[in-house]
Amino acid sequence: MEPTLPASSAGVQSQSGPEPGTSEPLQPAMPLRPVASQSRFQVDLVTESGGGGGGGGGGDGQKGQTPAAAQAPPAAKDRGDGGAVASSPASPAASAEPPAAAEEAKGRFRVNFVDPASDEQQPPPPPSPAAAAAATSASSSHGHQPPSESMNGYPQNGDTMMSEGSLHSSGTGAHHYYDTHTNTYYLRTFGHNTIDAVPRIDHYRHTVAQLGEKLIRPSLAELHDELDKEPFEDGYANGEESSPAEEAVSKHVADNKGVVKFGWVKGVLVRCMLNIWGVMLFIRLSWIVGHAGIGLALLVIGMATVVTTITGLSTSAITTNGFVRGGGAYYLISRSLGPEFGGAIGLIFAFANAVAVAMYVVGFAETMRDLLVENNALMIDEMSDIRIIGTITIVVLFGISVAGMEWEAKAQIVLLGILLIAIVNFTVGTFIPANDKRAKGFFNYHGEIFNENFGPDFREGEDFFSVFAIFFPAATGILAGANISGDLADPQLAIPKGTLLAILITTIVYAGAAVSVGSCIVRDATGNLTDAIIPGTVTNCTSAACKLGFNFSNCATNKCSYGLMNDFQVMSLVSGFGPLITAGIFSATLSSALASLVSAPKIFQALCKDNIYPGLHVFSVGYGKNNEPLRGYVLTFFIGLGFILIAELNVIAPIISNFFLASYALINFSVFHASLAKSPGWRPAFRYYNMWISLIGAILCCGVMFVINWWAALVTNVIVLGLYIYVTYKKPDVNWGSSTQALTYLNALQHAIRLTGVEDHVKNFRPQCLLMTGAPTSRPALLQLVHAFTKNVGLVVCGHVHMGPRRQALKEISTDQAKYQRWLIKNKMKAFYAPVYAEDLREGTQFLLQAVGLGRMRPNTLVFGFKKDWRQALMKDVENYINTIHDAFDYQYGVVVIRLKEGFNISHLQAQEDLCTSQKKSAHPKDVVVNLEHSDADSSKPSSKSVSETNSPAVSQDQKDEEDDGKASTQPLLKKEVKGPSVPLNMTDQKLLQASSQFQKKQGKGTIDVWWLFDDGGLTLLIPYLLTTKKKWKDCKIRVFIGGKINRIDHDRRTMATLLSKFRIDFSDITVLGDMNTKPSKDNTAAFEEMIEPFRLHEDDKEQEAAEKMKEEEPWRITDNELEIYRMKTYRQIRLNELLRENSGTANLIVMSLPVARKGAVSSALYMAWIETLSKDLPPILLVRGNHQSVLTFYS
C-alpha cells in the first residue's frame, strides 16, 4: 500500500486545459464509456496523505488540505469534484503522514478510470496541488458545473455523485485517477468512502439518451471481490450488456441543441382534434342526422366515442408504463405484445397512414373541383382536375413536412385556427334569422323541427349500422399525437392528457353540431319560395315545415335538392359566412393529410430501426437534429401520389379504416394481456383503466370492423395474420419484455404447480434426461441422439460441471448460461442448459442430480458419453466417473451410457477452425482458450478446467463467443471445408467430424437392435420405440435379443413376442441367445487380461501390510480375490461383445442392458474394463439401466 496518491486532482485538468491561474473554464469532454471485456476501474488500496487525500468531501471539513487547497473559495471546498485536490507524489506533506492518518485511511481505495481510446498514450503529468486548486477555483468562480451534476438535483457537496458527463479528458491522457474519498465516480455514500451507489434514475437508462446519461452502478464483483485482484473485467454490471444499436448511441452524448420537442397542446391536442374533426363534420354529419335522427345520431357519436375513449384509456395506460420512444401505435403494441403483433400492425398502420394522405388530399381536391364546376372553370375534366389539384397539394404538403417538424406544427396551428373559426361561424349562423334560407329548409331553432327530426327516417337501404359505418372513420384520428411520440417533450404526460381531452372536445362539438342541425333544418326542402304557405291553411300538411309556413309535401314523391337528407352543404347554408365553411373543409382535409404525411414515416422509421423486416432497414436512417426520416417521407409521398392518380378510393377507404381499427383493437388487447400476465413490470402511472373494459374495447373494435365492411375486415385479418406468421418464422433477435413473455411464464408456473399435485403414473412416464454434455457445442452427436428420443416427449437438461479456479469458473458460468441456451434454441434443440461449479466432477454431478428440475419437471435418467480415454486418464477421474453411476442409482435415476466408436468431442476441431478464422479476420489474433475436461488424449492435468463427465474436452472461446453471442449460428457446428489458412485434419479427426453429424441424417432402412438381457422396468425397450416414432428413424426396424436356454428357445421367443404385443411395440424379429454363457475365446480373454494388468493390485505377490496400504491409497485397483469372484461375470461381458459383433455389427444403433456393479465390491477399474470390453468395436451403442420401476404397462 502506497502512502500517497500518484494522480492529479480527479482528472479535472488535462494537458490541453488552461494554464494554472487562468480563468478559462474547464470544458467537459465526451464521457468515457467502457466497453465489454474491459475494466472500467482499477481498484487499489491507498492511504490518505496528510496533504491531499482528505480534503474535500464536504463533510470532512478542512482536514488534510494543502495550503493552496485551503485557500480555495468556499464553493470549491464544498464541491466534491473540486474542493479537494490530491497532492503530488513530490509533495512534502505526503511523506509526513502520521500513523493515525494511515490507520484512518484503512479501507480507502483509488479508482482508476481507464480510457480505452488512448491505451498506448501516457497519462498527463499531475499538476501541483496549488495549480489544481487554482484551476478548480477559477472554474468554480465562473459557475461552471458538469452537466450531469446540475441536472441531477443532488446537493453539491462531499456526498454528491459524479456522472460520466463530469469526467474530463484531454483526449491524450490514458488514465483518469479518482480518489474515492475526495472525487468519486459514485456517491461518497452517507459520509463514508464506498463506491456503493444510492438509487438514481441514470442507472436505469438503456442508452445515453437526450433525457440524460446512462450511468452504470457498481457490480457485485466491484463491491464484493478482493481488492488485490481485478474483480470486474466486464464492461457492464450484472450482465447488462447493451445491444449494438445501444453501443452506437452510447458513444456520443446527444446534442440537444436545436431539437424540436412539442408539449401536449401543440404535439397531441391540436393534432388529434384536427384529425378527428375532418370533413365529416361539415359534409356528412347533417346527412347522418337526417337518416338516423337526433337520438340515434347521438347514439352513433356515443358508440364511436366509447370505442375511442376506451382505446384512449388503454393508450394512456401503456404510455405511462415507461419511457415512450418514437413509433406511435407500433411502438406501443410491439413493446407490449412483442415483435410479432407489433411488426404486423406497424407495417399496415404505416401503410394506412400513407394511403390516408391520398384520401384526405383527394377530399380536398374534390371540394376544389366542385368550386371550379360551380364557376365553370374546369381545367380539363372532373377526374383529371382532381389528379392535378391532388398532385400539386401533396407536393406542397411534402415540402412543409421536409422543412421540419417545427414548420409542420406551425401549419397545423394555422389550420386549427381556420377550423375553429368555421365552427364558430356555423354556430353563429344558427342564431341569425333565416329569412330567404327558409325555402331551403333552414328555420333556426324550433321545437317542432327537433321533435320531428329526433326519430330515424332511414331511406335508400340505409340502416343504423350503415350510418355508423359512414361516421366512424371520423373518430380514427385519436393516435395522431401518439404517432409522433418521439417528438414529444414528455410523451407520458402529453399523450394521455392531449388524447383524452381531444376526444372530449371533439365529441362535444360533434354532439352539439348534430343537435343544432337537427333542430334548425328539416329533412326535405325544395328551395322554392313559391312553396310558402300560411300555417294551418293546408289540411294534409302536418310536418314541422307546414307549421312554420312552407309546404314541402311534394318531396315525398319527387327528389328534392335541399334539406338534411339531400344537401351535403347545409352547414354552409346555415353559417353566417358560407366561404368560411369551405375554408374549414380545406383546413380539415389538409391538416389530416399533413398529420398522416408526418405520422407514416415516423412509424415506418421506428419499425425499420427494430430490423423486424431486414430488407427495409434502409428507411431507418434519420437526418438532422430531429432525426427526420427523409427516406420515409419520399416513400410516403410516392405511395400517396400513386393513390391520388388512381383517384378511386371507394374500395381502399374501408380497408384503411379497418387497419386503424385493428391497431385500436390490439392496443386495447395489450392492456388486457399485460394485466392478465400480472407482470411486476406492468405499473402504469395512469390509473383510470380496467383490464376487462380494455377487453370489451378490443371486442368492440373487432365488431366495428365487420360492421363497417365485412370483406375489408376479413382482408385486414388475413394480412395481419400473414405478417404475424412471417415475423414469428423469422424470429427477430429482440427482447422487449413483452406481456406475451410474462403470460407464458405465468402459464408455465401455474401448470408446473398444478402438475406437482398429480401423482406419477406409469402410462405418462417419459424419459427426462440429465445429459452431461459439458458445452453443448462440443458434443453435437451426443445431444442429437438424446434429442431424437426426447423431442416433444420429455425434458432434456444439458449439464456442465465447471471446475478449476472459482472466480474464473463463475465468470464462465455467467457468460455461458445465456450463450449456450441461445445456441440450443437457434439449433432447434428442445433442451435446457444447466452449468454448475464444483470441486470435482462427482460433486458437480451430485449437485445436478439433486437440484435440477422443477416439481414433476425434473430428470429421471442420467445420460453421458463413455469415457474413452480412461486408461490414460488419472484414475481419480475414473473413480469419479464410476461413482457418478453409483450416485445416480442412489438417487433412483436410470442411467444411459452412450458410446460412439470415434468419440463425441469435436471441441479441439472447433478451436482450430476459430483460431484460423480469427487470424484471417484480424491482424491481432484473438485468444482461444481450450479448457480440457476428460480429454480423449490426456486428462491428467485437471488444473483450471471446465469439466463435464463425458470423455472429451469442452472448449471455451470467450472472445469469439462473446461477439457471436447474440447471433448464434444455425449452421452446422463445423464446416468441412474452411477457406483460408486452415489446419488439415488427420484421418482420426476426419472420422470424428463425420461421426459427429451422423444422427442429423435420415437413418434409412436399418435396424435398432435391442439386447434386453435384464428387466430394468422397460426403459431399455422404451427408448428404441421412441426413436422409431421420429422422422429420421421411422424406417428402422426393432430387433430384440434376449437371453435363454438352448432347449427353451421357441418358448422364450413366444413369451417375449406376447409381452411385446401387450406393450403394443412393433418388432421385426426376436432372437434368443442360448449360447450366452459359453466361455469366450482365449484371444479375447487374453486381451482383457492385458488391458487390466496395469490396474491390478497383485496382493499375493506383496506383503499383506503393503498390499492393504496400496489398496487404501488406490481403491480403484483390482484385487486377485475380486477378479476370481467375478470371473464368470467378466467372461459374460467378453462373450456378449463377441455376440454383439456377430449379430449386430451392421445395426444403425444398439440398445443394451448396462451391467450393474455392487458398490464397495467391484473396483472402478474392473467395472470400467467390463463396459470397455462389452462396447468396443461396435456401432453406436446405448448401455441402458432403468431404476427398476415399471415404465411400460399393458393396462389401459
Side-chain angles (χ1 to χ4, degrees):
M1 181 183 297
E2 296 186 10
T4 60
L5 295 174
S8 65
S9 61
V12 171
Q13 184 165 338
S14 62
Q15 279 184 323
S16 60
E19 291 294 325
T22 65
S23 61
E24 181 180 350
L26 298 176
Q27 298 297 326
M30 185 184 303
L32 301 177
R33 295 279 303 169
V35 295
S37 303
Q38 175 198 325
S39 297
R40 289 184 286 140
F41 307 100
Q42 295 172 351
V43 180
D44 303 306
L45 286 171
V46 298
T47 59
E48 180 182 26
S49 67
D60 290 339
Q62 303 293 327
K63 175 184 173 183
Q65 288 185 346
T66 62
Q71 296 171 6
K77 295 179 184 179
D78 289 341
R79 285 181 50 188
D81 63 336
V85 182
S87 61
S88 163
S91 170
S95 61
E97 181 183 15
E103 186 68 23
E104 196 174 308
K106 282 185 178 179
R108 206 164 281 167
F109 48 89
R110 180 181 66 238
V111 178
N112 303 335
F113 194 94
V114 182
D115 183 357
S118 53
D119 53 356
E120 296 181 0
Q121 299 173 352
Q122 296 299 321
S128 66
T136 305
S137 173
S139 63
S140 300
S141 64
H142 279 72
H144 289 278
Q145 293 181 356
S148 62
E149 290 186 5
S150 60
M151 176 189 71
N152 61 29
Y154 285 89
Q156 304 300 311
N157 53 26
D159 290 339
T160 196
M161 177 192 300
M162 293 181 65
S163 74
E164 291 174 287
S166 62
L167 303 180
H168 300 271
S169 171
S170 64
T172 58
H175 298 280
H176 305 268
Y177 300 100
Y178 293 89
D179 175 11
T180 55
H181 177 52
T182 57
N183 295 287
T184 176
Y185 180 76
Y186 297 108
L187 281 181
R188 183 171 173 273
T189 311
F190 310 128
H192 296 284
N193 302 317
T194 172
I195 63 172
D196 209 354
V198 298
R200 180 172 180 182
I201 190 173
D202 293 324
H203 295 144
Y204 295 89
R205 299 192 190 281
H206 288 313
T207 60
V208 177
Q210 295 172 350
L211 296 181
E213 299 171 12
K214 160 87 173 165
L215 295 186
I216 305 170
R217 72 178 64 84
S219 67
L220 277 176
E222 294 168 6
L223 295 173
H224 176 256
D225 283 355
E226 299 89 342
L227 284 174
D228 57 343
K229 300 176 182 178
E230 293 191 10
F232 37 88
E233 298 179 9
D234 290 335
Y236 294 91
N238 301 329
E240 295 176 359
E241 298 185 9
S242 54
S243 66
E246 291 172 349
E247 287 285 351
V249 176
S250 64
K251 290 179 181 177
H252 301 281
V253 177
D255 184 5
N256 292 331
K257 236 178 191 180
V259 175
V260 178
K261 293 292 182 182
F262 303 116
W264 70 274
V265 175
K266 187 185 291 187
V268 181
L269 181 64
V270 171
R271 294 172 186 278
C272 288
M273 288 196 301
L274 284 170
N275 268 261
I276 296 172
W277 269 334
V279 294
M280 194 67 63
L281 177 63
F282 298 105
I283 296 178
R284 289 290 184 272
L285 184 61
S286 59
W287 180 87
I288 290 171
V289 173
H291 279 276
I294 296 173
L296 291 184
L298 292 176
L299 182 60
V300 166
I301 295 170
M303 288 178 58
T305 303
V306 167
V307 174
T308 55
T309 301
I310 293 175
T311 306
L313 294 174
S314 299
T315 304
S316 301
I318 297 176
T319 54
T320 58
N321 191 53
F323 179 70
V324 178
R325 300 182 188 275
Y330 159 71
Y331 185 87
L332 301 181
I333 294 171
S334 62
R335 268 49 175 185
S336 297
L337 291 178
E340 295 83 7
F341 279 115
I345 285 297
L347 199 59
I348 67 171
F349 194 66
F351 178 76
N353 274 278
V355 179
V357 176
M359 283 182 57
Y360 295 126
V361 169
V362 168
F364 169 78
E366 285 181 349
T367 307
M368 287 289 294
R369 179 207 57 191
D370 292 341
L371 290 176
L372 294 176
V373 170
E374 288 178 10
N375 295 280
N376 296 320
L378 280 177
M379 291 177 282
I380 302 176
D381 56 54
E382 292 188 3
M383 192 64 72
S384 299
D385 281 13
I386 290 176
R387 290 172 178 151
I388 294 170
I389 296 170
T391 302
I392 296 171
T393 304
I394 195 172
V395 168
V396 173
L397 294 177
F398 176 72
I400 294 174
S401 302
V402 171
M405 288 295 294
E406 193 170 5
W407 282 96
E408 187 266 348
K410 290 176 180 177
Q412 294 280 27
I413 293 292
V414 172
L415 294 172
L416 178 64
I418 297 172
L419 193 58
L420 290 174
I421 292 172
I423 293 172
V424 172
N425 178 48
F426 162 75
T427 306
V428 171
T430 59
F431 294 97
I432 298 175
N435 299 329
D436 57 340
K437 299 179 182 178
R438 293 160 65 90
K440 295 183 180 180
F442 174 52
F443 293 93
N444 296 111
Y445 292 101
H446 284 281
E448 295 86 353
I449 299 177
F450 178 84
N451 293 332
E452 183 178 271
N453 289 342
F454 190 82
D457 183 16
F458 295 109
R459 303 178 190 174
E460 300 175 359
E462 301 290 348
D463 57 22
F464 176 81
F465 289 107
S466 65
V467 170
F468 177 79
I470 290 171
F471 173 79
F472 189 83
T476 57
I478 61 171
L479 292 183
N483 288 340
I484 62 162
S485 54
D487 295 294
L488 300 176
D490 186 1
Q492 290 181 291
L493 171 68
I495 293 175
K497 193 172 181 181
T499 303
L500 294 176
L501 189 57
I503 292 173
L504 176 63
I505 294 173
T506 53
T507 300
I508 292 173
V509 171
Y510 269 121
V515 173
S516 293
V517 296
S519 303
C520 296
I521 308 170
V522 296
R523 281 192 168 100
D524 298 288
T526 60
N528 298 323
L529 293 174
T530 58
D531 290 331
I533 63 172
I534 299 173
T537 59
V538 180
T539 56
N540 293 329
C541 185
T542 58
S543 65
C546 290
K547 296 176 183 178
L548 296 173
F550 275 85
N551 182 12
F552 300 136
S553 57
N554 62 338
C555 290
T557 56
N558 299 319
K559 177 74 173 176
C560 293
S561 301
Y562 296 96
L564 295 176
M565 305 290 283
N566 309 303
D567 185 10
F568 291 149
Q569 302 293 333
V570 293
M571 292 192 75
S572 298
L573 173 70
V574 173
S575 64
F577 183 61
L580 280 179
I581 297 298
T582 304
I585 295 173
F586 290 169
S587 173
T589 53
L590 293 179
S591 62
S592 298
L594 192 56
S596 298
L597 185 57
V598 170
S599 298
K602 296 283 186 181
I603 297 166
F604 196 55
Q605 182 186 37
L607 176 67
C608 296
K609 276 184 177 179
D610 290 333
N611 205 25
I612 291 179
Y613 302 101
L616 303 177
H617 190 66
V618 66
F619 292 101
S620 66
V621 180
Y623 298 89
K625 298 287 186 182
N626 279 356
N627 196 33
E628 295 288 350
L630 296 185
R631 297 177 182 178
Y633 281 132
V634 174
L635 179 63
T636 304
F637 170 78
F638 281 109
I639 292 174
L641 183 62
F643 282 98
I644 287 171
L645 295 178
I646 293 172
E648 288 290 342
L649 298 179
N650 291 336
V651 175
I652 302 297
I655 297 180
I656 294 174
S657 294
N658 277 277
F659 282 176
F660 284 120
L661 279 167
S663 304
Y664 297 169
L666 282 180
I667 288 175
N668 286 309
F669 183 73
S670 298
V671 173
F672 169 77
H673 200 266
S675 302
L676 185 67
K678 299 176 184 176
S679 171
W682 175 248
R683 303 184 302 275
F686 184 83
R687 301 294 183 185
Y688 305 103
Y689 74 95
N690 181 276
M691 60 182 289
W692 300 109
I693 292 178
S694 295
L695 179 61
I696 292 171
I699 295 172
L700 284 176
C701 289
C702 293
V704 171
M705 288 172 64
F706 285 92
V707 167
I708 290 177
N709 192 305
W710 66 268
W711 64 263
L714 289 177
V715 169
T716 302
N717 288 327
V718 168
I719 293 174
V720 171
L721 183 62
L723 292 173
Y724 177 89
I725 294 172
Y726 171 80
V727 177
T728 303
Y729 175 76
K730 285 295 183 180
K731 291 186 175 65
D733 189 15
V734 294
N735 183 7
W736 295 322
S738 66
S739 61
T740 305
Q741 296 173 356
L743 191 61
T744 301
Y745 171 83
L746 187 64
N747 289 335
L749 181 62
Q750 290 174 345
H751 283 92
I753 293 173
R754 190 179 306 161
L755 199 59
T756 58
V758 180
E759 291 295 330
D760 290 331
H761 194 280
V762 62
K763 288 195 296 184
N764 291 325
F765 176 87
R766 54 194 69 216
Q768 304 196 119
C769 300
L770 173 58
L771 175 61
M772 304 303 294
T773 58
T777 56
S778 62
R779 296 169 184 82
L782 183 64
L783 178 58
Q784 287 155 7
L785 180 57
V786 175
H787 186 256
F789 65 80
T790 58
K791 181 181 179 183
N792 297 327
V793 174
L795 175 73
V796 178
V797 178
C798 297
H800 190 178
V801 180
H802 289 260
M803 300 194 329
R806 184 173 182 272
R807 184 192 303 271
Q808 177 185 345
L810 293 179
K811 180 184 175 184
E812 289 174 356
I813 286 175
S814 65
T815 56
D816 289 353
Q817 179 72 60
K819 177 175 63 179
Y820 288 129
Q821 189 61 59
R822 203 149 42 217
W823 181 88
L824 289 170
I825 294 171
K826 291 288 185 181
N827 287 274
K828 299 180 180 178
M829 294 290 177
K830 297 184 177 180
F832 299 93
Y833 174 71
V836 67
Y837 168 75
E839 294 296 329
D840 57 43
L841 170 69
R842 183 184 183 187
E843 182 183 60
T845 309
Q846 286 176 337
F847 292 162
L848 292 170
L849 288 170
Q850 295 177 80
V852 164
L854 183 69
R856 300 287 179 195
M857 301 277 297
R858 55 183 301 110
N860 53 31
T861 306
L862 177 66
V863 185
F864 48 87
F866 176 69
K867 188 171 177 57
K868 184 181 176 183
D869 65 330
W870 68 276
R871 282 180 284 178
Q872 293 82 33
L874 286 174
M875 288 311 296
K876 177 185 176 183
D877 295 337
V878 177
E879 187 87 359
N880 282 335
Y881 181 83
I882 295 300
N883 282 332
T884 57
I885 299 178
H886 295 311
D887 292 337
F889 290 144
D890 290 340
Y891 293 124
Q892 292 297 301
Y893 275 65
V895 174
V896 179
V897 179
I898 304 178
R899 182 170 188 180
L900 201 61
K901 185 163 49 177
E902 297 82 3
F904 287 109
N905 193 331
I906 63 168
S907 56
H908 59 290
L909 305 181
Q910 291 175 311
Q912 290 178 15
E913 181 192 21
D914 291 331
L915 180 61
C916 293
T917 304
S918 63
Q919 288 175 342
K920 181 180 178 182
K921 287 183 178 179
S922 173
H924 305 284
K926 298 170 183 168
D927 295 332
V928 178
V929 182
V930 181
N931 297 330
L932 294 179
E933 302 167 346
H934 294 301
S935 172
D936 287 340
D938 182 16
S939 61
S940 62
K941 301 175 183 178
S943 61
S944 184
K945 302 176 184 66
S946 171
V947 180
S948 160
E949 60 178 328
T950 50
N951 63 330
S952 44
V955 176
S956 170
Q957 300 140 313
D958 290 338
Q959 295 187 359
K960 176 73 166 65
D961 288 338
E962 284 175 10
E963 287 184 0
D964 296 339
D965 196 14
K967 301 285 185 183
S969 173
T970 57
Q971 300 301 317
L973 294 174
L974 203 63
K975 299 173 185 175
K976 294 184 180 179
E977 295 181 2
V978 180
K979 295 182 181 180
S982 61
V983 179
L985 300 179
N986 56 39
M987 186 60 66
T988 302
D989 286 342
Q990 288 179 6
K991 289 182 178 179
L992 173 60
L993 186 59
Q994 187 175 3
S996 68
S997 60
Q998 66 176 319
F999 299 121
Q1000 288 180 314
K1001 298 176 286 189
K1002 191 174 178 63
Q1003 296 301 308
K1005 295 185 178 180
T1007 63
I1008 299 176
D1009 289 357
V1010 182
W1011 291 62
W1012 196 15
L1013 305 180
F1014 307 104
D1015 190 351
D1016 59 351
L1019 186 62
T1020 308
L1021 192 60
L1022 180 61
I1023 289 177
Y1025 165 74
L1026 292 175
L1027 277 173
T1028 58
T1029 63
K1030 305 304 178 183
K1031 185 177 180 180
K1032 293 177 182 176
W1033 293 85
K1034 68 178 181 179
D1035 294 332
C1036 292
K1037 303 296 182 183
I1038 294 178
R1039 297 192 303 178
V1040 180
F1041 295 81
I1042 59 173
K1045 296 180 180 179
I1046 296 178
N1047 58 353
R1048 296 185 56 188
I1049 288 179
D1050 290 339
H1051 176 268
D1052 291 341
R1053 182 183 292 112
R1054 285 195 301 271
T1055 302
M1056 178 55 62
T1058 302
L1059 181 60
L1060 293 176
S1061 64
K1062 285 182 177 293
F1063 286 149
R1064 304 171 303 282
I1065 293 177
D1066 294 331
F1067 60 92
S1068 63
D1069 188 26
I1070 296 176
T1071 302
V1072 180
L1073 304 171
D1075 54 350
M1076 190 172 68
N1077 291 322
T1078 306
K1079 192 173 182 179
S1081 69
K1082 292 183 179 180
D1083 291 341
N1084 290 330
T1085 304
F1088 180 84
E1089 295 287 349
E1090 183 182 352
M1091 177 177 63
I1092 65 171
E1093 181 62 30
F1095 307 103
R1096 294 185 61 180
L1097 181 61
H1098 290 293
E1099 70 271 20
D1100 293 342
D1101 300 336
K1102 297 183 177 65
E1103 295 182 2
Q1104 183 177 355
E1105 185 176 349
E1108 290 177 354
K1109 184 178 180 182
M1110 178 177 285
K1111 181 63 175 175
E1112 183 179 350
E1113 293 175 351
E1114 300 175 342
W1116 46 266
R1117 286 199 177 273
I1118 306 170
T1119 64
D1120 296 339
N1121 183 50
E1122 173 190 5
L1123 196 60
E1124 186 61 32
I1125 292 174
Y1126 294 106
R1127 183 169 300 279
M1128 294 306 297
K1129 195 165 186 176
T1130 300
Y1131 286 165
R1132 186 190 305 155
Q1133 313 310 322
I1134 301 173
R1135 177 59 182 157
L1136 282 173
N1137 180 259
E1138 294 174 353
L1139 292 173
L1140 281 164
R1141 283 187 285 179
E1142 178 183 340
N1143 293 281
S1144 299
T1146 59
N1148 293 54
L1149 186 70
I1150 301 172
V1151 183
M1152 187 176 191
S1153 298
L1154 173 70
V1156 177
R1158 189 174 298 279
K1159 282 193 302 182
V1162 179
S1163 62
S1164 299
L1166 181 57
Y1167 191 22
M1168 205 71 201
W1170 285 351
I1171 300 175
E1172 166 75 29
T1173 301
L1174 181 63
S1175 59
K1176 70 178 181 180
D1177 300 328
L1178 290 171
I1181 181 170
L1182 277 69
L1183 300 174
V1184 180
R1185 176 68 66 158
N1187 62 0
H1188 285 245
Q1189 295 179 2
S1190 296
V1191 301
L1192 296 173
T1193 182
F1194 48 80
Y1195 294 107
S1196 59

